[in-house]
Amino acid sequence: MSQFKFSVGPWNVASGADVYGPATRKEIPMEEKIKMFAKLGFDAVQFHDDDAVPAINDLSEEEIKAEARKLKKTLDKYGLKAEFVAPRLWMDPHCVDGGFTSNSAKDREFAMWRAYRSIDIAKELGCSLIVLWLAREGTLCAESKSACVATKRLVEAIDKMLDYDPTIRVAIEPKPNEPVDRSFCGTMGHVMGVSAATKDPSRVGGLLESAHAVLAGLDPANEMGFALAFDKLYSVHLNDQNGLKFDQDRSFGAENLRQAFNQIKILKENGFGTHGEYIGLDVKAMRTTPDAAAYDHLTNSLNVVKALEAKVDRYDYDFERKCIAERNYEALEMYVLNLIMGLC
Ligand code: XLS
Ligand code: MG
């Protein structure tokens, strides 16, 4: 039995298309996914604004809220909550050069419109968290934007969201690159800096995705610990990543079990979840996966989280203290490896 509540996004069950080739699995309708998420043991669903309300740009503000209310009924039907809503700016033709930090004032205005609509949708879905994965808030041509101006624009955009609704909280999901070459908000350190500069830092925190930390050359558990130290880890996206290459969203633990263990360890040690936070998965099935196995990467990731929770429960903190007192980190390291390998 896990001590955590789990969430997942509808984009985590996809057709297998990538930038080099077409779909390999059939598309699954939203309600079918939601039903399956409930069956697999998830507690909540994460949404982009246009997952929740398709063709959002073509609808009026009232129509958008009405669509969101329909989705809320579907969630209620299967006993699931909504965890967050995230504006999917990077897919939109208005945001070719970014949203909140675009060089075009008109496009920055559009990005705000989508951010406000995401807040409206979140309220209809009964959640208060807005996630900002700042996909194109950066540059392909380094000289095309100033990191200084862009950072100020980002703070300004978040301030406007905080003003728009005093009950929402914003979690920035940092990533150092891809699809841009250099992003403006690449790590939890950047997120904490931006949070501190907003008008209400108590409502601005972070969402740490394991793969994004690895892409920044950092340890995901350390990034989580950094945000936890400021009570600002609002959510996590557990997954895995094999080194510095394209964003892989591998199943949790598939590449680095020790790193995965340390993520669960730091979350448990610091009571993550006791303020209603979810453990979110942001994992992708391999393109080779057949239709019949379209949800297996989710089940596998959940099982790895639970197995590692059991390892943390058995973790010998007395032995850890002894090793630390004797500065015998060789012994501590071998103990951890033995625990993970099932040798103790
Ligand atoms: C993509 C991001 C995305 C966010 C939500 O890499 O992880 O899925 O989590 O917008
Ligand atoms: Mg993510």
Side-chain angles (χ1 to χ4, degrees), residues 221-296:
N222 266 20
E223 285 282 271
M224 288 174 187
F226 183 73
L228 284 163
F230 303 108
D231 287 327
K232 286 199 184 299
L233 191 63
Y234 292 174
S235 188
V236 292
H237 270 172
L238 298 188
N239 59 16
D240 215 343
Q241 170 74 27
N242 178 23
L244 301 180
K245 54 184 77 162
F246 62 94
D247 190 354
Q248 298 181 306
D249 295 337
R250 300 295 320 280
S251 291
F252 185 56
E255 289 299 334
N256 191 332
L257 265 184
R258 184 180 180 186
Q259 215 169 250
F261 169 77
N262 282 323
Q263 290 172 66
I264 301 303
K265 183 169 179 282
I266 200 149
L267 292 173
K268 271 179 95 90
E269 286 172 354
N270 292 283
F272 181 82
T274 46
H275 300 109
E277 304 94 336
Y278 293 92
I279 288 216
L281 299 182
D282 199 355
V283 291
K284 202 192 274 166
M286 292 178 234
R287 188 163 186 268
T288 44
T289 301
D291 286 284
Y295 293 87
D296 285 7

Side-chain angles (χ1 to χ4, degrees), residues 2-182:
S2 174
Q3 76 173 57
F4 295 118
K5 291 187 300 173
F6 294 96
S7 66
V8 64
W11 67 90
N12 289 126
V13 179
S15 63
D18 65 19
V19 279
Y20 300 101
T24 56
R25 290 180 295 277
K26 67 170 174 32
E27 286 290 348
I28 299 174
M30 179 67 87
E31 181 163 351
E32 213 181 293
K33 288 184 188 177
I34 290 176
K35 187 175 170 188
M36 194 62 172
F37 292 158
K39 198 170 155 203
L40 295 178
F42 287 97
D43 304 282
V45 185
Q46 320 161 347
F47 292 100
H48 293 116
D49 52 355
D50 59 351
D51 292 320
V53 179
I56 186 169
N57 289 351
D58 304 335
L59 303 180
S60 71
E61 291 169 21
E62 282 316 308
E63 286 169 332
I64 291 170
K65 288 185 197 168
E67 278 302 307
R69 281 195 289 274
K70 278 196 216 155
L71 176 63
K72 173 78 166 69
K73 285 210 176 100
T74 310
L75 287 171
D76 289 347
K77 181 171 163 193
Y78 297 103
L80 292 176
K81 302 264 184 249
E83 184 196 4
F84 67 66
V85 179
R88 183 148 43 193
L89 300 179
W90 59 95
M91 289 288 217
D92 201 283
H94 296 88
C95 302
V96 171
D97 193 23
F100 307 123
T101 69
S102 169
N103 281 325
S104 147
K106 251 184 108 189
D107 293 350
R108 293 199 298 276
E109 210 178 288
F110 172 81
M112 282 319 301
W113 185 82
R114 288 283 292 262
Y116 296 144
R117 299 299 70 79
S118 296
I119 296 171
D120 292 346
I121 294 168
K123 300 218 69 176
E124 296 295 343
L125 296 182
C127 69
S128 59
L129 188 61
I130 302 299
V131 166
L132 300 180
W133 173 47
L134 301 165
R136 296 192 198 275
E137 313 300 354
T139 56
L140 290 172
C141 168
E143 297 77 15
S144 65
K145 289 179 193 164
S146 147
C148 179
V149 171
T151 304
K152 287 181 183 170
R153 281 185 173 152
L154 184 57
V155 171
E156 213 177 284
I158 294 172
D159 279 347
K160 286 186 190 161
M161 289 177 223
L162 297 174
D163 274 344
Y164 182 75
D165 187 311
T167 65
I168 57 127
R169 292 175 312 138
V170 175
I172 304 173
E173 179 179 343
K175 185 178 179 187
N177 62 284
E178 201 204 17
V180 287
D181 181 25
R182 298 161 166 86

